[in-house]
Amino acid sequence: MSKLPAQREYFLDSIRAWLMLLGIPFHISLIYSSHVWHVNSAAPSWWLTLFNDFIHAFRMQVFFVISGYFSYMLYLRYPMKRWWKVRVERVGIPMLTAIPLLTLPQFLMLQHVKGKADSWHTLSVYDKYNTLVWDLISHLWFLLVLVVLTTLGLVLFRKLKQAVAANPDTLLSQLTLPKLTLMFLLLGVLYAAFRRTLLVLYPPILSDGLFNFAVMQTLFYLPFFVLGALTFITPRLKALFITPSWGCTLGAALAFVAYLLNQRYGSGDGWMYETESVITMWMVNVVFSLGHRLLHFQSARVTYFVNASLFIYLVHHPLTLLFGAWITPHIHSNTLGFICGLIFVVGCAIALYEVHLRIPLLRFLFSGKPEVNKAQPKEVRN
């Protein structure tokens, strides 16, 4: 059995929190980018489009690596059934809470803004269902994917644990950055081939919201989730990720250039998403090494945002859409609108977070964690 870390992994906590908080500038910049979203400014901004693409190129990939790391850490701490229950509660309860409290009002607002409320009755039963799936899951998709990955982890983590126990030296010797790069390249090609096959055989399946979230997104992020578990198992692999590498930095830069070209010249039917699956599986070393260098410390301010990051992320999306629908049209400068959007969304989200802290039921619903009896030792948060 792997030993638990001797000290708190502050830099991983911080990276995960900041990756989640990056969702705020990501979605606000999406309003002002050349990408079509629910709401858009009158004219796109080139630098906000570039900024948006930069965040999107690495944010969720690294997030799922860290999720896999902490998931396997807790897998060693709890009995299997207890581990699954704890993990699913911590992501499933906030997701189920956010649907009626956040994404349902968001859906109704968008129906009004887009003028689609009057034509709702003309949709077929399936179209109504599929629209609701897309709009009610919305930015909560990563929580659904984590539930699926946690369930898959019941099998995958058991096999990993057995492999480590049977022959740890062989497993450790095979994990190098060049081999992982080649492995992820091959996995990206396999994912691309699978998606292209579906597009050829039955294109409508890729427009199904539940299939997209539960199957396609899960398949895309599964390798990163497993990589996180392997990073916990293998101290040498973790050391490789937190040690700056000029090769990885150059590779990440080239991958980002390829990503930008794909965004500009690709299309949904022209291998855009398939190519993206191959060229975005990078940057873990760059983010981990920078995070380890800059964020590996404890402070009350950082701890506050680590604890607040999930709630802020959940509420920021409807706040962003509200800003984009009713405030953006009155601000003629994209840069000024972006700055105002950050101030508005962050300010409102922090205020709502402080309010929810004072209501025990909301604290539980948005964290999935029951109130801890102060007389009892607390579980280590993750």
Side-chain angles (χ1 to χ4, degrees):
M1 179 178 292
S2 299
K3 295 181 180 179
L4 295 178
Q7 61 179 351
R8 186 74 179 173
E9 304 282 9
Y10 294 114
F11 78 101
L12 289 178
D13 275 335
S14 296
I15 292 174
R16 182 176 57 176
W18 291 117
L19 288 174
M20 197 169 292
L21 293 174
L22 272 177
I24 299 176
F26 169 75
H27 285 116
I28 296 175
S29 63
L30 196 55
I31 296 174
Y32 299 100
S33 73
S34 59
H35 304 299
V36 178
W37 199 42
H38 299 292
V39 289
N40 288 104
S41 60
S45 163
W46 71 267
W47 81 265
L48 286 171
T49 301
L50 181 64
F51 178 71
N52 182 268
D53 288 337
F54 173 73
I55 295 175
H56 191 256
F58 71 91
R59 185 172 68 97
M60 295 311 298
Q61 293 89 322
V62 180
F63 174 85
F64 278 100
V65 172
I66 297 175
S67 295
Y69 183 97
F70 282 124
S71 291
Y72 194 83
M73 181 182 74
L74 288 183
Y75 178 80
L76 298 180
R77 180 174 300 161
Y78 294 115
M80 185 181 295
K81 292 182 179 179
R82 171 65 176 163
W83 169 79
W84 183 87
K85 181 176 183 293
V86 168
R87 296 303 299 165
V88 169
E89 284 178 349
R90 290 186 181 180
V91 296
I93 292 176
M95 180 183 70
L96 294 176
T97 299
I99 289 175
L101 296 185
L102 298 175
T103 58
L104 178 58
Q106 173 184 284
F107 164 74
L108 296 175
M109 179 188 72
L110 289 175
Q111 288 287 302
H112 173 73
V113 169
K114 295 180 178 181
K116 294 183 177 181
D118 293 337
S119 61
W120 176 257
H121 69 280
T122 65
L123 299 179
S124 67
V125 174
Y126 173 77
D127 286 338
K128 290 179 180 178
Y129 151 80
N130 198 35
T131 300
L132 286 173
V133 169
W134 280 105
D135 287 349
L136 295 187
I137 294 179
S138 185
H139 66 298
L140 312 177
W141 66 267
F142 76 101
L143 296 176
L144 175 60
V145 171
L146 282 175
V147 171
V148 178
L149 289 175
T150 299
T151 304
L152 293 175
L154 292 171
V155 176
L156 293 174
F157 286 0
R158 184 177 73 247
K159 291 186 177 296
L160 280 177
K161 187 177 178 182
Q162 291 171 349
V164 172
N167 201 342
D169 294 334
T170 301
L171 180 65
L172 298 179
S173 65
Q174 293 177 349
L175 295 176
T176 62
L177 287 179
K179 289 183 178 180
L180 280 171
T181 298
L182 179 60
M183 185 185 304
F184 271 73
L185 181 63
L186 293 175
L187 288 171
V189 171
L190 289 175
Y191 176 87
F194 177 67
R195 187 185 185 280
R196 177 55 50 168
T197 300
L198 292 177
L199 188 62
V200 171
L201 297 179
Y202 188 60
I205 192 67
L206 295 175
S207 300
D208 185 272
L210 188 58
F211 182 83
N212 179 274
F213 293 131
V215 178
M216 299 304 292
Q217 296 285 57
T218 297
L219 288 176
F220 183 86
Y221 290 108
L222 177 60
F224 297 98
F225 188 75
V226 174
L227 179 62
L230 292 175
T231 304
F232 180 86
I233 294 170
T234 315
R236 188 172 60 82
L237 179 60
K238 180 180 174 183
L240 288 175
F241 282 140
I242 65 176
T243 303
S245 167
W246 284 109
C248 286
T249 302
L250 178 60
L254 293 175
F256 179 58
V257 172
Y259 176 82
L260 290 177
L261 293 174
N262 188 50
Q263 289 289 313
R264 296 297 172 275
Y265 302 109
S267 65
D269 295 330
W271 297 92
M272 175 179 175
Y273 297 109
E274 289 86 345
T275 307
E276 180 177 316
S277 70
V278 176
I279 63 180
T280 60
M281 294 188 174
W282 309 80
M283 288 198 176
V284 176
N285 170 269
V286 178
V287 177
F288 270 40
S289 60
L290 282 175
H292 187 261
R293 180 180 178 182
L294 302 175
L295 301 173
H296 196 38
F297 61 89
Q298 183 180 17
S299 78
R301 185 174 301 174
V302 171
T303 300
Y304 176 87
F305 282 103
V306 167
N307 293 333
S309 59
L310 176 59
F311 179 90
I312 291 176
Y313 179 83
L314 293 179
V315 303
H316 93 277
H317 199 266
L319 289 172
T320 300
L321 290 172
L322 187 152
F323 176 87
W326 282 297
I327 302 178
T328 291
H330 302 289
I331 304 175
H332 300 295
S333 167
N334 286 338
T335 300
L336 179 60
F338 175 72
I339 295 172
C340 291
L342 284 177
I343 296 172
F344 174 82
V345 174
V346 173
C348 291
I350 291 177
L352 290 172
Y353 175 70
E354 288 295 327
V355 171
H356 115 285
L357 285 179
R358 290 155 175 77
I359 305 174
L361 178 60
L362 288 181
R363 286 204 305 270
F364 166 69
L365 291 176
F366 280 101
S367 70
K369 301 177 183 179
E371 293 295 311
V372 177
N373 186 343
K374 294 184 178 180
Q376 299 176 350
K378 296 182 180 179
E379 294 178 359
V380 177
R381 297 184 72 250
N382 87 90

